[in-house]
Amino acid sequence: MPTNDAKANYDARVKRVMTAAANQEPDRVPIMPGMMPFAIDYYGHTMAEVTYNAQIGVDCAYKFIEEFEPDNAMGFYTNAGKGPMLELMAPKSCTWPGAPDKRIPDNSYHQFIEFPVLEEDEMPFFERDYSGWVIQKGLPKVVGLLEPFAKWNTSALGVSYDASMLAATFSQPEFRNIIETFWKIDDMNKEIQKIHAAGTAKMAEMGYPTFGAGVGGGVPFDQYSDFFRGTIDSMVDMYENRGVIERFIDERIDRQIAGIKASTAAMAHLKDEKWASIILHKGMDGFMNEEQYVNLYWKHLRMIINEMTAAGFKVYVYTEGGYTTRLPHLTEVDKNMVVYHFEKVDLELAKKTLGDMACIAGGFPVWIVEQGTKQQVIDEVKRVLDICAPGGGYIFEGGYSFGEAPIENVMAMFETVRKYGVY
């Protein structure tokens, strides 16, 4: 159990963050920077080591929060400990630090390899039989382990008491291998989850809360672009295959809303832990014009946000890329229920537009800490706080995760927020 001091610090941090998230003034601006890549490097490890040993990442998190005292527990690297699992799956759409192919440096984040999984001549099959396309075309293209699915004739499936055809299919050596490998992957993943759960519990005992989201969601267009067509082809499709996009996203939003309703209902008993999150990929400035953003993106994003907030959940919306031209739309949500994280935005306009409606997070340029001088860091922290802190409703975060950086710059960032961010 937490000590008295740790419990008091835990409660103070929760109050500070939740007050800011409610668009009010806490005792000072909360500081919640994503710094796992920095911590891994600072404590003498590489991302490749963490990819193959989750406990190293957890231990780095303990050291970091003890030394720098942020207002939240450290979030763990997405692929921490998953290196052996990834090798078994043999994904074709990403590579990772420490991977046998050595395509990226050992201290890199994992990298996605984008290509059009859904090819244009497959669109009739995709629309006619989505599940069949996923099994026969989609999965074999992105996961090496699942290449045998390309030979599976899903049109032979039917509803019958006689499952002998399925039994014969799954008894073939390549399918037996898939099933046995799935068992191994699941066992590995459960062990990783135990390590992460123990790490989160210990950080709570140390006085650091985790503002983890129990409910998540994504915009249907992002799924179409990220997983099926890729950035370039989905941009072309907005002009040449718009009907395919519209039919897919309109069908997908119904499933999305149904899933959110089920998740929020299952977590209705929670109180302070009622957080939801949405990560945005393709709604940024310049990728879509205004009409496309409204009808292919914002229409559904607004539905998702409002479904979550109507159920009493605070919603953390992580925007990627520039988002200045989208600001007027972001006001069309329930008041003081949303935290908008920005990577790149006109902060003055964001504060003016959203100041009475939502909490702002991020907007701080990470590169200054990684590449600038100590004085540049101090000056930039003050500039950001001068714009965003007045009236409350601001959480200090980097626009994205911090990587390798001079320790004096990191210390200057923390010290300046603590001293200059007091209300």
Side-chain angles (χ1 to χ4, degrees), residues 302-347:
R302 180 181 59 200
M303 291 170 63
I304 293 167
I305 293 173
N306 289 342
E307 186 67 40
M308 292 171 169
T309 58
F313 283 72
K314 291 279 186 186
V315 183
Y316 182 91
V317 181
Y318 190 106
T319 70
E320 292 188 350
Y323 233 76
T324 299
T325 65
R326 312 308 188 195
L327 290 171
H329 299 290
L330 302 186
T331 63
E332 300 169 12
V333 296
D334 290 333
K335 189 173 183 178
N336 300 334
M337 291 295 289
V338 181
V339 177
Y340 288 115
H341 169 101
F342 293 108
E343 177 183 337
K344 184 179 179 182
V345 74
D346 181 330
L347 283 175

mmCIF file of all heavy atoms in Angstrom, residues 302-347:
data_model
loop_
_atom_site.group_PDB
_atom_site.id
_atom_site.type_symbol
_atom_site.label_atom_id
_atom_site.label_comp_id
_atom_site.label_asym_id
_atom_site.label_seq_id
_atom_site.Cartn_x
_atom_site.Cartn_y
_atom_site.Cartn_z
ATOM 1 N N ARG A 302 -16.956 13.620 -34.388
ATOM 2 C CA ARG A 302 -17.876 14.302 -33.457
ATOM 3 C C ARG A 302 -18.854 13.307 -32.846
ATOM 4 O O ARG A 302 -19.137 13.358 -31.641
ATOM 5 C CB ARG A 302 -18.637 15.399 -34.198
ATOM 6 C CG ARG A 302 -19.636 16.173 -33.323
ATOM 7 C CD ARG A 302 -20.349 17.220 -34.142
ATOM 8 N NE ARG A 302 -21.068 16.593 -35.251
ATOM 9 C CZ ARG A 302 -21.463 17.249 -36.338
ATOM 10 N NH1 ARG A 302 -21.197 18.531 -36.477
ATOM 11 N NH2 ARG A 302 -22.130 16.618 -37.284
ATOM 12 N N MET A 303 -19.375 12.380 -33.641
ATOM 13 C CA MET A 303 -20.291 11.366 -33.116
ATOM 14 C C MET A 303 -19.614 10.518 -32.044
ATOM 15 O O MET A 303 -20.209 10.226 -30.996
ATOM 16 C CB MET A 303 -20.787 10.470 -34.253
ATOM 17 C CG MET A 303 -21.703 11.145 -35.246
ATOM 18 S SD MET A 303 -22.032 10.112 -36.717
ATOM 19 C CE MET A 303 -22.878 8.727 -35.952
ATOM 20 N N ILE A 304 -18.377 10.138 -32.287
ATOM 21 C CA ILE A 304 -17.647 9.300 -31.336
ATOM 22 C C ILE A 304 -17.383 10.057 -30.042
ATOM 23 O O ILE A 304 -17.618 9.542 -28.941
ATOM 24 C CB ILE A 304 -16.318 8.822 -31.974
ATOM 25 C CG1 ILE A 304 -16.618 7.860 -33.126
ATOM 26 C CG2 ILE A 304 -15.426 8.156 -30.936
ATOM 27 C CD1 ILE A 304 -15.413 7.582 -34.006
ATOM 28 N N ILE A 305 -16.879 11.296 -30.152
ATOM 29 C CA ILE A 305 -16.612 12.095 -28.955
ATOM 30 C C ILE A 305 -17.881 12.289 -28.140
ATOM 31 O O ILE A 305 -17.903 12.078 -26.921
ATOM 32 C CB ILE A 305 -16.014 13.465 -29.339
ATOM 33 C CG1 ILE A 305 -14.617 13.302 -29.951
ATOM 34 C CG2 ILE A 305 -15.951 14.386 -28.113
ATOM 35 C CD1 ILE A 305 -14.037 14.595 -30.496
ATOM 36 N N ASN A 306 -18.955 12.690 -28.802
ATOM 37 C CA ASN A 306 -20.189 12.993 -28.084
ATOM 38 C C ASN A 306 -20.822 11.751 -27.467
ATOM 39 O O ASN A 306 -21.464 11.826 -26.419
ATOM 40 C CB ASN A 306 -21.179 13.691 -29.013
ATOM 41 C CG ASN A 306 -20.756 15.126 -29.343
ATOM 42 O OD1 ASN A 306 -19.931 15.701 -28.630
ATOM 43 N ND2 ASN A 306 -21.298 15.680 -30.403
ATOM 44 N N GLU A 307 -20.636 10.589 -28.084
ATOM 45 C CA GLU A 307 -21.121 9.339 -27.502
ATOM 46 C C GLU A 307 -20.388 9.049 -26.199
ATOM 47 O O GLU A 307 -20.971 8.620 -25.209
ATOM 48 C CB GLU A 307 -20.931 8.187 -28.485
ATOM 49 C CG GLU A 307 -21.540 6.878 -28.025
ATOM 50 C CD GLU A 307 -23.056 6.913 -27.974
ATOM 51 O OE1 GLU A 307 -23.685 7.501 -28.881
ATOM 52 O OE2 GLU A 307 -23.630 6.338 -27.016
ATOM 53 N N MET A 308 -19.078 9.298 -26.202
ATOM 54 C CA MET A 308 -18.267 9.060 -25.010
ATOM 55 C C MET A 308 -18.580 10.048 -23.896
ATOM 56 O O MET A 308 -18.756 9.675 -22.731
ATOM 57 C CB MET A 308 -16.780 9.140 -25.371
ATOM 58 C CG MET A 308 -16.286 8.016 -26.271
ATOM 59 S SD MET A 308 -14.599 8.326 -26.869
ATOM 60 C CE MET A 308 -14.190 6.732 -27.593
ATOM 61 N N THR A 309 -18.672 11.325 -24.224
ATOM 62 C CA THR A 309 -18.924 12.328 -23.185
ATOM 63 C C THR A 309 -20.344 12.220 -22.638
ATOM 64 O O THR A 309 -20.579 12.478 -21.457
ATOM 65 C CB THR A 309 -18.678 13.754 -23.717
ATOM 66 O OG1 THR A 309 -19.516 14.006 -24.859
ATOM 67 C CG2 THR A 309 -17.226 13.937 -24.112
ATOM 68 N N ALA A 310 -21.298 11.813 -23.486
ATOM 69 C CA ALA A 310 -22.677 11.631 -23.012
ATOM 70 C C ALA A 310 -22.748 10.549 -21.945
ATOM 71 O O ALA A 310 -23.642 10.574 -21.084
ATOM 72 C CB ALA A 310 -23.597 11.285 -24.179
ATOM 73 N N ALA A 311 -21.793 9.613 -21.992
ATOM 74 C CA ALA A 311 -21.740 8.540 -20.985
ATOM 75 C C ALA A 311 -20.917 8.948 -19.766
ATOM 76 O O ALA A 311 -20.688 8.129 -18.878
ATOM 77 C CB ALA A 311 -21.162 7.279 -21.608
ATOM 78 N N GLY A 312 -20.482 10.208 -19.730
ATOM 79 C CA GLY A 312 -19.754 10.720 -18.563
ATOM 80 C C GLY A 312 -18.254 10.525 -18.604
ATOM 81 O O GLY A 312 -17.581 10.657 -17.578
ATOM 82 N N PHE A 313 -17.701 10.237 -19.766
ATOM 83 C CA PHE A 313 -16.264 10.008 -19.903
ATOM 84 C C PHE A 313 -15.551 11.267 -20.379
ATOM 85 O O PHE A 313 -16.005 11.926 -21.316
ATOM 86 C CB PHE A 313 -15.985 8.870 -20.876
ATOM 87 C CG PHE A 313 -16.224 7.507 -20.301
ATOM 88 C CD1 PHE A 313 -17.514 7.051 -20.060
ATOM 89 C CD2 PHE A 313 -15.163 6.674 -19.975
ATOM 90 C CE1 PHE A 313 -17.744 5.791 -19.528
ATOM 91 C CE2 PHE A 313 -15.380 5.420 -19.439
ATOM 92 C CZ PHE A 313 -16.671 4.978 -19.208
ATOM 93 N N LYS A 314 -14.424 11.593 -19.738
ATOM 94 C CA LYS A 314 -13.512 12.590 -20.276
ATOM 95 C C LYS A 314 -12.840 11.974 -21.494
ATOM 96 O O LYS A 314 -12.408 10.824 -21.456
ATOM 97 C CB LYS A 314 -12.441 12.972 -19.262
ATOM 98 C CG LYS A 314 -12.946 13.751 -18.057
ATOM 99 C CD LYS A 314 -13.115 15.206 -18.395
ATOM 100 C CE LYS A 314 -13.487 16.001 -17.138
ATOM 101 N NZ LYS A 314 -13.801 17.402 -17.483
ATOM 102 N N VAL A 315 -12.711 12.744 -22.564
ATOM 103 C CA VAL A 315 -12.153 12.196 -23.798
ATOM 104 C C VAL A 315 -10.845 12.904 -24.136
ATOM 105 O O VAL A 315 -10.809 14.130 -24.278
ATOM 106 C CB VAL A 315 -13.143 12.340 -24.969
ATOM 107 C CG1 VAL A 315 -12.570 11.694 -26.225
ATOM 108 C CG2 VAL A 315 -14.480 11.705 -24.618
ATOM 109 N N TYR A 316 -9.780 12.117 -24.254
ATOM 110 C CA TYR A 316 -8.467 12.628 -24.632
ATOM 111 C C TYR A 316 -8.302 12.385 -26.124
ATOM 112 O O TYR A 316 -8.250 11.236 -26.568
ATOM 113 C CB TYR A 316 -7.388 11.910 -23.828
ATOM 114 C CG TYR A 316 -5.973 12.374 -24.084
ATOM 115 C CD1 TYR A 316 -5.406 13.382 -23.322
ATOM 116 C CD2 TYR A 316 -5.198 11.775 -25.071
ATOM 117 C CE1 TYR A 316 -4.107 13.797 -23.539
ATOM 118 C CE2 TYR A 316 -3.899 12.177 -25.301
ATOM 119 C CZ TYR A 316 -3.355 13.189 -24.530
ATOM 120 O OH TYR A 316 -2.053 13.598 -24.763
ATOM 121 N N VAL A 317 -8.238 13.471 -26.890
ATOM 122 C CA VAL A 317 -8.142 13.376 -28.347
ATOM 123 C C VAL A 317 -6.737 13.777 -28.768
ATOM 124 O O VAL A 317 -6.341 14.932 -28.600
ATOM 125 C CB VAL A 317 -9.185 14.282 -29.037
ATOM 126 C CG1 VAL A 317 -9.089 14.145 -30.556
ATOM 127 C CG2 VAL A 317 -10.593 13.946 -28.560
ATOM 128 N N TYR A 318 -5.988 12.827 -29.293
ATOM 129 C CA TYR A 318 -4.600 13.050 -29.688
ATOM 130 C C TYR A 318 -4.562 13.339 -31.179
ATOM 131 O O TYR A 318 -4.778 12.450 -32.007
ATOM 132 C CB TYR A 318 -3.767 11.814 -29.350
ATOM 133 C CG TYR A 318 -2.273 11.987 -29.492
ATOM 134 C CD1 TYR A 318 -1.457 12.108 -28.374
ATOM 135 C CD2 TYR A 318 -1.667 12.008 -30.740
ATOM 136 C CE1 TYR A 318 -0.083 12.257 -28.489
ATOM 137 C CE2 TYR A 318 -0.293 12.152 -30.875
ATOM 138 C CZ TYR A 318 0.487 12.279 -29.744
ATOM 139 O OH TYR A 318 1.859 12.435 -29.881
ATOM 140 N N THR A 319 -4.303 14.589 -31.534
ATOM 141 C CA THR A 319 -4.246 14.958 -32.950
ATOM 142 C C THR A 319 -2.810 14.862 -33.446
ATOM 143 O O THR A 319 -1.880 15.258 -32.754
ATOM 144 C CB THR A 319 -4.760 16.386 -33.180
ATOM 145 O OG1 THR A 319 -3.839 17.334 -32.632
ATOM 146 C CG2 THR A 319 -6.125 16.585 -32.528
ATOM 147 N N GLU A 320 -2.629 14.334 -34.632
ATOM 148 C CA GLU A 320 -1.302 14.250 -35.238
ATOM 149 C C GLU A 320 -1.218 15.221 -36.402
ATOM 150 O O GLU A 320 -2.187 15.428 -37.128
ATOM 151 C CB GLU A 320 -1.016 12.826 -35.716
ATOM 152 C CG GLU A 320 -0.861 11.832 -34.575
ATOM 153 C CD GLU A 320 -0.384 10.466 -35.048
ATOM 154 O OE1 GLU A 320 -0.353 10.225 -36.267
ATOM 155 O OE2 GLU A 320 -0.044 9.635 -34.189
ATOM 156 N N GLY A 321 -0.025 15.826 -36.570
ATOM 157 C CA GLY A 321 0.162 16.794 -37.636
ATOM 158 C C GLY A 321 -0.405 18.152 -37.259
ATOM 159 O O GLY A 321 -0.864 18.384 -36.137
ATOM 160 N N GLY A 322 -0.376 19.081 -38.203
ATOM 161 C CA GLY A 322 -0.941 20.412 -37.968
ATOM 162 C C GLY A 322 -2.449 20.352 -37.855
ATOM 163 O O GLY A 322 -3.103 19.594 -38.580
ATOM 164 N N TYR A 323 -3.027 21.178 -36.966
ATOM 165 C CA TYR A 323 -4.478 21.121 -36.760
ATOM 166 C C TYR A 323 -5.120 22.500 -36.641
ATOM 167 O O TYR A 323 -6.237 22.638 -36.150
ATOM 168 C CB TYR A 323 -4.794 20.282 -35.511
ATOM 169 C CG TYR A 323 -5.794 19.186 -35.801
ATOM 170 C CD1 TYR A 323 -5.413 18.035 -36.481
ATOM 171 C CD2 TYR A 323 -7.131 19.306 -35.428
ATOM 172 C CE1 TYR A 323 -6.329 17.029 -36.774
ATOM 173 C CE2 TYR A 323 -8.050 18.310 -35.715
ATOM 174 C CZ TYR A 323 -7.642 17.175 -36.386
ATOM 175 O OH TYR A 323 -8.541 16.188 -36.678
ATOM 176 N N THR A 324 -4.450 23.517 -37.132
ATOM 177 C CA THR A 324 -4.959 24.883 -36.955
ATOM 178 C C THR A 324 -6.263 25.116 -37.702
ATOM 179 O O THR A 324 -7.202 25.716 -37.165
ATOM 180 C CB THR A 324 -3.898 25.894 -37.410
ATOM 181 O OG1 THR A 324 -2.718 25.728 -36.598
ATOM 182 C CG2 THR A 324 -4.407 27.320 -37.261
ATOM 183 N N THR A 325 -6.365 24.653 -38.944
ATOM 184 C CA THR A 325 -7.584 24.922 -39.725
ATOM 185 C C THR A 325 -8.788 24.143 -39.208
ATOM 186 O O THR A 325 -9.929 24.453 -39.580
ATOM 187 C CB THR A 325 -7.373 24.562 -41.208
ATOM 188 O OG1 THR A 325 -7.157 23.153 -41.340
ATOM 189 C CG2 THR A 325 -6.181 25.311 -41.783
ATOM 190 N N ARG A 326 -8.562 23.153 -38.361
ATOM 191 C CA ARG A 326 -9.663 22.321 -37.859
ATOM 192 C C ARG A 326 -10.255 22.853 -36.549
ATOM 193 O O ARG A 326 -11.269 22.321 -36.073
ATOM 194 C CB ARG A 326 -9.188 20.879 -37.634
ATOM 195 C CG ARG A 326 -8.395 20.259 -38.779
ATOM 196 C CD ARG A 326 -9.097 20.357 -40.102
ATOM 197 N NE ARG A 326 -8.401 19.596 -41.138
ATOM 198 C CZ ARG A 326 -8.618 19.717 -42.435
ATOM 199 N NH1 ARG A 326 -9.526 20.598 -42.878
ATOM 200 N NH2 ARG A 326 -7.963 18.992 -43.311
ATOM 201 N N LEU A 327 -9.638 23.862 -35.973
ATOM 202 C CA LEU A 327 -10.036 24.326 -34.648
ATOM 203 C C LEU A 327 -11.514 24.699 -34.528
ATOM 204 O O LEU A 327 -12.154 24.354 -33.525
ATOM 205 C CB LEU A 327 -9.164 25.512 -34.225
ATOM 206 C CG LEU A 327 -7.705 25.185 -33.906
ATOM 207 C CD1 LEU A 327 -6.892 26.467 -33.712
ATOM 208 C CD2 LEU A 327 -7.610 24.311 -32.656
ATOM 209 N N PRO A 328 -12.118 25.410 -35.494
ATOM 210 C CA PRO A 328 -13.533 25.782 -35.328
ATOM 211 C C PRO A 328 -14.450 24.579 -35.123
ATOM 212 O O PRO A 328 -15.428 24.658 -34.371
ATOM 213 C CB PRO A 328 -13.859 26.531 -36.627
ATOM 214 C CG PRO A 328 -12.544 27.057 -37.096
ATOM 215 C CD PRO A 328 -11.542 26.007 -36.720
ATOM 216 N N HIS A 329 -14.128 23.445 -35.747
ATOM 217 C CA HIS A 329 -14.977 22.263 -35.608
ATOM 218 C C HIS A 329 -14.864 21.646 -34.218
ATOM 219 O O HIS A 329 -15.834 21.058 -33.710
ATOM 220 C CB HIS A 329 -14.603 21.226 -36.665
ATOM 221 C CG HIS A 329 -14.769 21.701 -38.064
ATOM 222 N ND1 HIS A 329 -15.996 21.933 -38.634
ATOM 223 C CD2 HIS A 329 -13.848 22.035 -39.008
ATOM 224 C CE1 HIS A 329 -15.844 22.367 -39.870
ATOM 225 N NE2 HIS A 329 -14.550 22.436 -40.124
ATOM 226 N N LEU A 330 -13.709 21.773 -33.597
ATOM 227 C CA LEU A 330 -13.465 21.106 -32.321
ATOM 228 C C LEU A 330 -14.304 21.667 -31.181
ATOM 229 O O LEU A 330 -14.343 21.080 -30.094
ATOM 230 C CB LEU A 330 -11.983 21.188 -31.955
ATOM 231 C CG LEU A 330 -10.998 20.597 -32.973
ATOM 232 C CD1 LEU A 330 -9.581 20.614 -32.416
ATOM 233 C CD2 LEU A 330 -11.392 19.175 -33.366
ATOM 234 N N THR A 331 -14.997 22.777 -31.418
ATOM 235 C CA THR A 331 -15.869 23.345 -30.388
ATOM 236 C C THR A 331 -17.225 22.650 -30.323
ATOM 237 O O THR A 331 -17.988 22.870 -29.380
ATOM 238 C CB THR A 331 -16.104 24.843 -30.645
ATOM 239 O OG1 THR A 331 -16.778 25.009 -31.903
ATOM 240 C CG2 THR A 331 -14.789 25.607 -30.680
ATOM 241 N N GLU A 332 -17.524 21.799 -31.302
ATOM 242 C CA GLU A 332 -18.862 21.190 -31.406
ATOM 243 C C GLU A 332 -18.974 19.931 -30.551
ATOM 244 O O GLU A 332 -19.415 18.870 -31.020
ATOM 245 C CB GLU A 332 -19.163 20.889 -32.875
ATOM 246 C CG GLU A 332 -19.142 22.122 -33.768
ATOM 247 C CD GLU A 332 -19.176 21.788 -35.247
ATOM 248 O OE1 GLU A 332 -19.439 20.617 -35.580
ATOM 249 O OE2 GLU A 332 -18.932 22.682 -36.062
ATOM 250 N N VAL A 333 -18.565 20.064 -29.290
ATOM 251 C CA VAL A 333 -18.580 18.932 -28.357
ATOM 252 C C VAL A 333 -19.123 19.412 -27.017
ATOM 253 O O VAL A 333 -19.299 20.613 -26.792
ATOM 254 C CB VAL A 333 -17.161 18.338 -28.178
ATOM 255 C CG1 VAL A 333 -16.641 17.755 -29.482
ATOM 256 C CG2 VAL A 333 -16.193 19.391 -27.633
ATOM 257 N N ASP A 334 -19.370 18.480 -26.106
ATOM 258 C CA ASP A 334 -19.840 18.855 -24.776
ATOM 259 C C ASP A 334 -18.770 19.672 -24.052
ATOM 260 O O ASP A 334 -17.583 19.330 -24.069
ATOM 261 C CB ASP A 334 -20.173 17.601 -23.958
ATOM 262 C CG ASP A 334 -21.413 16.896 -24.478
ATOM 263 O OD1 ASP A 334 -22.272 17.581 -25.069
ATOM 264 O OD2 ASP A 334 -21.529 15.668 -24.284
ATOM 265 N N LYS A 335 -19.212 20.717 -23.385
ATOM 266 C CA LYS A 335 -18.290 21.668 -22.764
ATOM 267 C C LYS A 335 -17.515 21.031 -21.611
ATOM 268 O O LYS A 335 -18.068 20.299 -20.783
ATOM 269 C CB LYS A 335 -19.078 22.871 -22.264
ATOM 270 C CG LYS A 335 -18.216 24.032 -21.786
ATOM 271 C CD LYS A 335 -19.075 25.253 -21.480
ATOM 272 C CE LYS A 335 -18.194 26.434 -21.080
ATOM 273 N NZ LYS A 335 -19.006 27.656 -20.820
ATOM 274 N N ASN A 336 -16.206 21.303 -21.596
ATOM 275 C CA ASN A 336 -15.306 20.899 -20.501
ATOM 276 C C ASN A 336 -15.229 19.391 -20.282
ATOM 277 O O ASN A 336 -14.967 18.923 -19.178
ATOM 278 C CB ASN A 336 -15.699 21.597 -19.186
ATOM 279 C CG ASN A 336 -15.638 23.107 -19.287
ATOM 280 O OD1 ASN A 336 -14.899 23.656 -20.103
ATOM 281 N ND2 ASN A 336 -16.426 23.788 -18.467
ATOM 282 N N MET A 337 -15.430 18.634 -21.352
ATOM 283 C CA MET A 337 -15.363 17.169 -21.267
ATOM 284 C C MET A 337 -14.265 16.581 -22.147
ATOM 285 O O MET A 337 -14.053 15.376 -22.157
ATOM 286 C CB MET A 337 -16.705 16.556 -21.653
ATOM 287 C CG MET A 337 -17.821 16.805 -20.651
ATOM 288 S SD MET A 337 -17.509 15.994 -19.062
ATOM 289 C CE MET A 337 -17.741 14.274 -19.503
ATOM 290 N N VAL A 338 -13.563 17.457 -22.890
ATOM 291 C CA VAL A 338 -12.581 16.972 -23.854
ATOM 292 C C VAL A 338 -11.223 17.611 -23.604
ATOM 293 O O VAL A 338 -11.134 18.801 -23.275
ATOM 294 C CB VAL A 338 -13.031 17.275 -25.300
ATOM 295 C CG1 VAL A 338 -12.011 16.746 -26.308
ATOM 296 C CG2 VAL A 338 -14.408 16.683 -25.572
ATOM 297 N N VAL A 339 -10.163 16.808 -23.746
ATOM 298 C CA VAL A 339 -8.783 17.300 -23.736
ATOM 299 C C VAL A 339 -8.244 17.098 -25.148
ATOM 300 O O VAL A 339 -8.169 15.968 -25.634
ATOM 301 C CB VAL A 339 -7.905 16.533 -22.722
ATOM 302 C CG1 VAL A 339 -6.461 17.021 -22.797
ATOM 303 C CG2 VAL A 339 -8.453 16.679 -21.317
ATOM 304 N N TYR A 340 -7.873 18.186 -25.803
ATOM 305 C CA TYR A 340 -7.297 18.105 -27.138
ATOM 306 C C TYR A 340 -5.782 18.216 -27.056
ATOM 307 O O TYR A 340 -5.247 19.248 -26.659
ATOM 308 C CB TYR A 340 -7.831 19.223 -28.037
ATOM 309 C CG TYR A 340 -9.268 19.060 -28.472
ATOM 310 C CD1 TYR A 340 -10.248 19.955 -28.055
ATOM 311 C CD2 TYR A 340 -9.635 18.021 -29.329
ATOM 312 C CE1 TYR A 340 -11.558 19.823 -28.478
ATOM 313 C CE2 TYR A 340 -10.949 17.877 -29.744
ATOM 314 C CZ TYR A 340 -11.910 18.781 -29.323
ATOM 315 O OH TYR A 340 -13.218 18.642 -29.736
ATOM 316 N N HIS A 341 -5.100 17.142 -27.418
ATOM 317 C CA HIS A 341 -3.641 17.182 -27.490
ATOM 318 C C HIS A 341 -3.231 17.603 -28.901
ATOM 319 O O HIS A 341 -3.695 17.029 -29.885
ATOM 320 C CB HIS A 341 -3.041 15.808 -27.180
ATOM 321 C CG HIS A 341 -1.572 15.719 -27.483
ATOM 322 N ND1 HIS A 341 -0.607 15.800 -26.514
ATOM 323 C CD2 HIS A 341 -0.906 15.587 -28.654
ATOM 324 C CE1 HIS A 341 0.585 15.713 -27.076
ATOM 325 N NE2 HIS A 341 0.429 15.581 -28.380
ATOM 326 N N PHE A 342 -2.320 18.577 -28.977
ATOM 327 C CA PHE A 342 -1.864 19.045 -30.279
ATOM 328 C C PHE A 342 -0.369 18.767 -30.454
ATOM 329 O O PHE A 342 0.430 19.000 -29.552
ATOM 330 C CB PHE A 342 -2.117 20.543 -30.440
ATOM 331 C CG PHE A 342 -3.571 20.899 -30.488
ATOM 332 C CD1 PHE A 342 -4.180 21.546 -29.420
ATOM 333 C CD2 PHE A 342 -4.346 20.589 -31.604
ATOM 334 C CE1 PHE A 342 -5.530 21.868 -29.453
ATOM 335 C CE2 PHE A 342 -5.695 20.910 -31.647
ATOM 336 C CZ PHE A 342 -6.291 21.553 -30.575
ATOM 337 N N GLU A 343 -0.041 18.290 -31.640
ATOM 338 C CA GLU A 343 1.362 18.154 -32.021
ATOM 339 C C GLU A 343 1.866 19.491 -32.559
ATOM 340 O O GLU A 343 2.908 19.988 -32.153
ATOM 341 C CB GLU A 343 1.514 17.064 -33.083
ATOM 342 C CG GLU A 343 2.926 16.905 -33.599
ATOM 343 C CD GLU A 343 3.044 15.866 -34.694
ATOM 344 O OE1 GLU A 343 2.178 14.974 -34.781
ATOM 345 O OE2 GLU A 343 4.014 15.938 -35.477
ATOM 346 N N LYS A 344 1.098 20.060 -33.473
ATOM 347 C CA LYS A 344 1.475 21.322 -34.096
ATOM 348 C C LYS A 344 0.215 22.129 -34.353
ATOM 349 O O LYS A 344 -0.697 21.661 -35.046
ATOM 350 C CB LYS A 344 2.218 21.067 -35.407
ATOM 351 C CG LYS A 344 2.732 22.318 -36.099
ATOM 352 C CD LYS A 344 3.471 21.956 -37.375
ATOM 353 C CE LYS A 344 3.982 23.206 -38.094
ATOM 354 N NZ LYS A 344 4.674 22.857 -39.367
ATOM 355 N N VAL A 345 0.151 23.325 -33.778
ATOM 356 C CA VAL A 345 -1.036 24.160 -33.916
ATOM 357 C C VAL A 345 -0.657 25.600 -33.588
ATOM 358 O O VAL A 345 0.352 25.850 -32.912
ATOM 359 C CB VAL A 345 -2.156 23.670 -32.963
ATOM 360 C CG1 VAL A 345 -1.856 24.044 -31.520
ATOM 361 C CG2 VAL A 345 -3.536 24.177 -33.373
ATOM 362 N N ASP A 346 -1.426 26.535 -34.086
ATOM 363 C CA ASP A 346 -1.289 27.929 -33.661
ATOM 364 C C ASP A 346 -1.859 28.010 -32.248
ATOM 365 O O ASP A 346 -3.075 28.024 -32.057
ATOM 366 C CB ASP A 346 -2.079 28.835 -34.624
ATOM 367 C CG ASP A 346 -1.968 30.314 -34.270
ATOM 368 O OD1 ASP A 346 -1.801 30.647 -33.069
ATOM 369 O OD2 ASP A 346 -2.083 31.138 -35.192
ATOM 370 N N LEU A 347 -0.981 28.024 -31.243
ATOM 371 C CA LEU A 347 -1.434 27.947 -29.855
ATOM 372 C C LEU A 347 -2.304 29.128 -29.454
ATOM 373 O O LEU A 347 -3.273 28.961 -28.697
ATOM 374 C CB LEU A 347 -0.234 27.841 -28.916
ATOM 375 C CG LEU A 347 0.438 26.463 -28.835
ATOM 376 C CD1 LEU A 347 1.688 26.547 -27.968
ATOM 377 C CD2 LEU A 347 -0.522 25.412 -28.286
#
